[in-house]
Amino acid sequence: METTIAPVNAKNPDFKNIPGWGIDADPKNDPTYPMKDRTDAEQTGYSWERPAQQPVNIEVLHSNERPNVSAVFGTASPPSGLSGQIRRYAFQYSESKFRHWLPLIVADRVNVVEGIVEDIRNGKIPNFFAEKGYKAMWKHNPKGLATNIAITVGVATLAYLWLSGGRNRSRD
Amino acid sequence: MLAMNYRGPQRVRIDHKPMPEILHPEDAIVRVTRSCICGSDLHLYNGNVPDTRVGTTFGHEFVGIVEEVGPEVHNVKVGDHVLVPFNIACGRCHFCQQGLYGNCHESNPEATAVGGIFGYSHTAGGYHGGQAEYVRVPYANFGPTVIPEGMDLDDAVMLTDVVPTAYQAAEMGGIQPGDTVVVFGAGPVGIMAARCSWLFGAGRVIIIDHVEYRLEFAKNYAHCEAYNFKEMDDVVLFLKKETDWMGADVVIDAVGAEAAGDAMQTITGRKMLLQAGSATALHWAINSVKKGGIVSIVGVYGPTGNLIPIGNVVNKGLTIRANQASVKKHLPRLIEHIQNGILNPKGLITHRVPLEEISDAYRIFSDKLDNCIKPVLIPPRAA
C-alpha cells in the first residue's frame, strides 16, 4: 500500500520522509563550486550573528530585495538633487527590473550636470582638458586627440545650427 | 588629503577631500602606499556602471599602512603594512561562511548580487576607494592582511585583485591536465589567467586580443600562444580549426562589458547601455568552447540583462562558472607561489604614476597608449 506523504513546504519541511531522499547524494560529487566551501549548515536563511550596525545617519538607499541596510555601508555620495530623486524612484524596484537600473543610468547623467553646476557654484571652473587626460593623449596619440576635438566641435556646431534654425522657424 | 574625484564619463581629477573617519567599531584607516587602476575601473570611468555618483573616489586595488583602528579591531594594529582585498567582507554571514567573500551580505545595502567593493559605485556599496592618500577600511579584522616580510609592495598590491581574480578564473575552469584553455582578453587579468592556467595543468594556452603590444607581452609573460582577432575573419572558426575542430576544453572570459569586435554589441551594449555591456567575448567563449566544456567568467558586466546565446549553452551542455574573486581565500596559496618564484605579479606593472597625475594615468590605460599593461599610482605620502 502506497504511503501518503504530506506536501513538503515551509510549514512541513520534513523532506527526509520522501521515498529515495538522498539515495544518490555524494558529498564528493560537487564539481561545480570549486570556489565554495561546503558546510553542513546550508540554507539557514538570514540567521547569522550580524555585526554591529553602522549608524545610519545619512540617507542610504537599500535594495528592496533585502530587509535592512547592511551592517556597514559606504558614505561616498548620498543622493541629492534631481539625480537623488531619480535614484529614490529606482530603488522602489527590485534588481531584476529595468525600472531599477535604467533610471540609475539616467540619474548618473543628470548627476554629471549637477557636478558641473556644483563646481561653478564653488568657484571652480572644470578643466575639461586636464580632467579628460588630454595632456597624455597629446603626448602619446595627438591624431586621436585631434579627431576627438574635431568630433566634439562638429557635434556642437550641428547642435547650435539646429537649435538656432529652430528659433528662426518659430519666428516665421 | 588628496583623492581621485569622478566628475563624469572620462572625466576624473585629483582634489582635496576630507580625511576618512572611523564609522564602525571594526573600521581601520589606512594610509595608501600603492594603488592601481584596474581594467574594471574603466567601466566606471566610461560611465557604464549604474549608480556611479559624481564625487566618488575609485580604487579597489591598494596596499597601505594602518594609521588608526576602531575599538573592536584586534587582528591588525597601527603601523602594520597591509594588503587590502578588493572585497569588503564581514567573514561571518551565510556567504562568507562558505568562502564566497565576494558575495558578503553585510557590506552592500544597495544590491544583493554582489558584496561591497572599494570605490566601485553605489551598486557595490558606495565606498570611497584607494586612489587616495587615505581610505576607510571596514571589517579590518577580516580583510586586511599583513604583507609578508620581504615581499615587494608591487607584488603585494597585485594580490588585492589581479592575481586572485586570474587564479580563480583558472580554478573555476576546472582545468584538467592536458586541457586546451583559451583566454579572451590580454589585459592584466587575462595575461595572469593564462599564466595561472599552467598551474592547473593545462596542456595548451591560447590568448586572444586585438592590441598587438598586449599580445606580445602575453606571449612572453604567460608562455602562451597569442592571436589577434582583427587578423581573422571569424575568431570562433579559427579556434575550432586550431583545436582539431572540437573547440577548447575551457574558455575564460577576462574581458567583460567593453568588449570590441562586434558592431551590434558595441551599439547596444557599450554605447546605448541597453545591455549589461557588450557580450562579444562571452558569445565567442560559449561558441568556441567544446561541447561539455566549461566557460569561466571573471570579466565584469553591468547588472541589466544581456543578449547571450543561452540556447547554445543548453545544446552544448556547457558549465558556466563565474564570480568576483574571493581574494582572502586564495591569498595563502598565492603568497606561497610568489615567495617560491612561481608567479611574478609585479612583472605586469609597466607604469608608475604620481597620484596627482591620475587624469593622464586613466587616459593612458583606457586608450592603451604607451604600451601600457598595468599602471600603479604612488601617493605623495607613500614613503
Side-chain angles (χ1 to χ4, degrees):
Chain A
M1 190 179 149
E2 199 173 306
T3 317
T4 307
I5 305 284
V8 174
N9 53 39
K11 286 181 184 167
N12 173 32
D14 199 9
F15 52 82
K16 291 187 179 178
N17 283 333
I18 294 173
W21 179 83
I23 200 167
D24 293 326
D26 178 355
K28 289 178 188 162
N29 183 21
D30 192 8
T32 55
Y33 299 95
M35 69 295 232
K36 181 179 171 186
D37 283 331
R38 281 288 187 183
T39 70
D40 292 330
E42 302 287 325
Q43 299 301 336
T44 49
Y46 221 97
S47 61
W48 58 88
E49 195 176 324
R50 298 194 66 211
Q53 178 67 54
Q54 176 182 334
V56 186
N57 47 20
I58 60 161
E59 184 179 3
V60 181
L61 299 173
H62 79 84
S63 166
N64 67 1
E65 293 184 36
R66 58 177 300 140
N68 50 24
V69 170
S70 55
V72 303
F73 52 85
T75 55
S77 297
S80 63
L82 176 60
S83 65
Q85 287 182 38
I86 301 170
R87 294 190 208 284
R88 289 181 198 108
Y89 166 82
F91 272 83
Q92 293 173 28
Y93 300 99
S94 83
E95 295 159 61
S96 66
K97 301 283 190 189
F98 274 100
R99 272 174 288 178
H100 178 75
W101 297 112
L102 293 182
L104 287 176
I105 291 171
V106 172
D108 288 348
R109 301 298 174 262
V110 171
N111 199 194
V112 171
V113 179
E114 290 172 337
I116 294 168
V117 172
E118 179 201 0
D119 270 347
I120 293 169
R121 199 176 283 162
N122 292 333
K124 186 179 179 73
I125 306 295
N127 183 343
F128 286 86
F129 190 88
E131 289 170 1
K132 284 181 163 288
Y134 281 165
K135 198 179 90 185
M137 208 170 171
W138 175 246
K139 186 175 175 190
H140 300 292
N141 184 17
K143 201 174 154 192
L145 178 61
T147 310
N148 269 14
I149 291 172
I151 290 171
T152 307
V153 170
V155 169
T157 308
L158 284 174
Y160 173 77
L161 290 174
W162 184 69
L163 288 170
S164 58
R167 274 204 298 276
N168 289 339
R169 275 196 301 276
S170 66
R171 285 191 203 107
D172 289 341
Chain B
M1 68 156 185
L2 292 178
M4 178 267 203
N5 188 345
Y6 172 76
R7 305 309 298 172
Q10 301 201 349
R11 274 182 59 221
V12 301
R13 68 181 183 228
I14 205 78
D15 270 340
H16 286 280
K17 285 189 172 184
M19 283 285 289
E21 293 172 14
I22 301 280
L23 300 174
H24 184 269
E26 296 171 52
D27 281 358
I29 305 297
V30 168
R31 175 162 60 86
V32 177
T33 51
R34 296 277 188 289
S35 62
C36 296
I37 304 176
C38 177
S40 57
D41 282 332
L42 300 181
H43 306 321
L44 299 172
Y45 179 67
N46 289 326
N48 288 343
V49 178
D51 219 354
T52 301
R53 301 181 192 170
V54 166
T56 55
T57 296
F58 299 170
H60 54 270
E61 299 177 357
F62 60 94
V63 297
I65 296 167
V66 177
E67 286 275 318
E68 189 185 347
V69 292
E72 296 295 323
V73 175
H74 312 294
N75 286 350
V76 291
K77 58 184 188 306
V78 172
D80 281 348
H81 210 148
V82 292
L83 69 90
V84 183
F86 76 89
N87 329 103
I88 299 170
C90 70
R92 65 198 90 162
C93 72
H94 177 76
F95 304 101
C96 285
Q97 282 172 33
Q98 297 175 66
L100 295 168
Y101 306 126
N103 305 100
C104 175
H105 214 63
E106 290 290 7
S107 58
N108 179 10
E110 273 103 333
T112 54
V114 67
I117 299 174
F118 290 98
Y120 210 78
S121 85
H122 278 256
T123 296
Y127 297 91
H128 282 306
Q131 290 166 8
E133 288 189 283
Y134 296 88
V135 61
R136 170 195 170 214
V137 174
Y139 297 131
N141 284 324
F142 188 75
T145 302
V146 176
I147 298 170
E149 208 171 313
M151 179 176 277
D152 193 310
L153 289 186
D154 287 349
D155 279 329
V157 77
M158 300 294 270
L159 281 173
T160 61
D161 180 351
V162 178
V163 186
T165 298
Y167 186 81
Q168 186 170 305
E171 185 198 47
M172 290 192 299
I175 298 166
Q176 300 297 306
D179 273 358
T180 294
V181 180
V182 169
V183 181
F184 283 108
V189 169
I191 294 170
M192 186 56 83
R195 178 70 190 85
C196 289
S197 295
W198 299 116
L199 304 183
F200 290 88
R204 186 180 182 190
V205 180
I206 297 169
I207 199 162
I208 305 284
D209 199 281
H210 66 113
V211 182
E212 208 52 52
Y213 80 82
R214 302 209 310 179
L215 290 166
E216 270 309 306
F217 192 100
K219 219 186 292 182
N220 296 323
Y221 184 92
H223 321 293
C224 61
E225 296 166 56
Y227 298 103
N228 190 332
F229 68 76
K230 283 200 168 160
E231 292 170 3
M232 306 167 189
D233 288 336
D234 183 332
V235 65
V236 171
L237 189 60
F238 172 83
L239 288 168
K240 284 285 172 67
K241 283 181 184 171
E242 276 292 316
T243 52
D244 207 14
W245 300 100
M246 295 295 279
D249 299 287
V250 177
V251 179
I252 294 170
D253 171 359
V255 180
E258 294 187 80
D262 182 288
M264 193 276 280
Q265 292 280 346
T266 298
I267 292 165
T268 59
R270 292 170 67 191
K271 303 298 180 192
M272 298 174 74
L273 300 180
L274 294 175
Q275 296 194 71
S278 157
T280 306
L282 189 52
H283 273 252
W284 288 348
I286 288 167
N287 291 327
S288 59
V289 75
K290 76 175 182 186
K291 285 183 261 195
I294 298 172
V295 174
S296 168
I297 309 168
V298 288
V300 173
Y301 289 91
T304 38
N306 260 89
L307 300 172
I308 61 165
I310 194 68
N312 288 359
V313 175
V314 175
N315 290 336
K316 293 177 74 170
L318 303 186
T319 298
I320 292 183
R321 295 173 176 173
N323 207 352
Q324 298 283 353
S326 290
V327 173
K328 187 84 181 176
K329 184 173 179 179
H330 300 297
L331 283 181
R333 184 67 170 160
L334 293 171
I335 288 172
E336 200 180 307
H337 282 331
I338 292 171
Q339 288 175 332
N340 292 335
I342 304 287
L343 292 176
N344 170 31
K346 66 174 178 289
L348 288 170
I349 295 171
T350 51
H351 287 63
R352 306 169 71 78
V353 185
L355 179 65
E356 298 93 313
E357 295 173 22
I358 197 162
S359 313
D360 291 333
Y362 263 92
R363 177 60 64 185
I364 287 170
F365 191 41
S366 167
D367 285 8
K368 301 174 182 65
L369 304 175
D370 198 27
N371 290 349
C372 183
I373 298 289
K374 184 74 176 175
V376 169
L377 301 164
I378 317 286
R381 271 174 271 202

